[in-house]
Amino acid sequence: EAGVVQSPRYKIIEKKQPVAFWCNPISGHNTLYWYLQNLGQGPELLIRYENEEAVDDSQLPKDRFSAERLKGVDSTLKIQPAELGDSAVYLCASSSGVLETQYFGPGTRLLVL
Amino acid sequence: RKEVEQDPGPFNVPEGATVAFNCTYSNSASQSFFWYRQDCRKEPKLLMSVYSSGNEDGRFTAQLNRASQYISLLIRDSKLSDSATYLCVVFRFILTGGGNKLTFGTGTQLKVEL
């Protein structure tokens, strides 16, 4: 069974440019998460979806970050415009329920110059 | 105070040693607890859930102490391959305002040496 797929794996952009990350969860997983992880820190939840509904986006900086999960499958996380402090690893995870095991993708390493 | 706190380490132990990590949580309404493992430059993976009665999986034992609001992870007979960062995860339902809250700790780094 395929795991969580994320692309791109690496991205280098200049500040003020837009960037988008894509995630394809494990088939059948209704719950999808986007996390941000800085070096030496644990993952911090940005947004959680139940099917196509964003049920927890309280930690998403909505002035520059947006996300969507059309049709309740794939998801895209966008940053516009990117700032230097956005450099981090962006992890996508999915699970069959909120208390079920989360399976993480390999992450997208973003570097903003 | 952070909702979930862990000693970042690193814990440097010789192969074969027993090592234990604690993770404290601040919200007494927290209901579910997990340990995840994260290898360097890799994604986190579930190691084990933590049950109220404590649970064991091979060389790994997880305990929950609700009175003192901490969970622990004990690793016996450590192997070189146990070297990783161990993330504590705490979950609680939020009755109002929508959503549940799942919080990762910053992780404890373990280095097992020859």
Side-chain angles (χ1 to χ4, degrees), chain B residues 11-80:
Chain B
F11 284 58
N12 297 303
V13 302
E15 199 174 16
T18 295
V19 62
F21 314 131
N22 279 348
C23 166
T24 59
Y25 58 95
S26 61
N27 196 313
S28 59
S30 298
Q31 292 159 297
S32 298
F33 309 88
F34 310 88
W35 284 103
Y36 275 70
R37 169 190 169 133
Q38 186 170 26
D39 291 295
C40 187
R41 301 181 72 83
K42 298 287 188 180
E43 68 274 18
K45 292 183 180 178
L46 179 69
L47 178 65
M48 58 199 303
S49 302
V50 186
Y51 302 123
S52 297
S53 55
N55 47 300
E56 188 174 308
D57 182 2
R59 298 182 292 108
F60 298 82
T61 300
Q63 295 278 353
L64 167 63
N65 186 316
R66 286 194 183 274
S68 300
Q69 294 184 200
Y70 74 86
I71 64 171
S72 63
L73 178 67
L74 180 79
I75 305 175
R76 291 181 298 277
D77 188 23
S78 356
K79 312 290 184 191
L80 294 175

Side-chain angles (χ1 to χ4, degrees), chain A residues 35 37 40-43 48 55-56 91 98-99 101-102 104-106 109, chain B residues 32 34 36 38 41 43-44 46 87 91 93 98-100 102 104-106:
Chain A
Y35 290 92
Q37 186 172 27
Q41 302 294 314
R48 175 169 67 91
V55 295
D56 185 357
L91 292 162
V98 69
L99 282 179
T101 302
Q102 291 188 46
F104 285 81
R109 294 182 182 276
Chain B
S32 298
F34 310 88
Y36 275 70
Q38 186 170 26
R41 301 181 72 83
E43 68 274 18
L46 179 69
L87 298 162
F91 174 90
F93 288 105
N100 304 306
L102 189 73
F104 279 75
T106 56

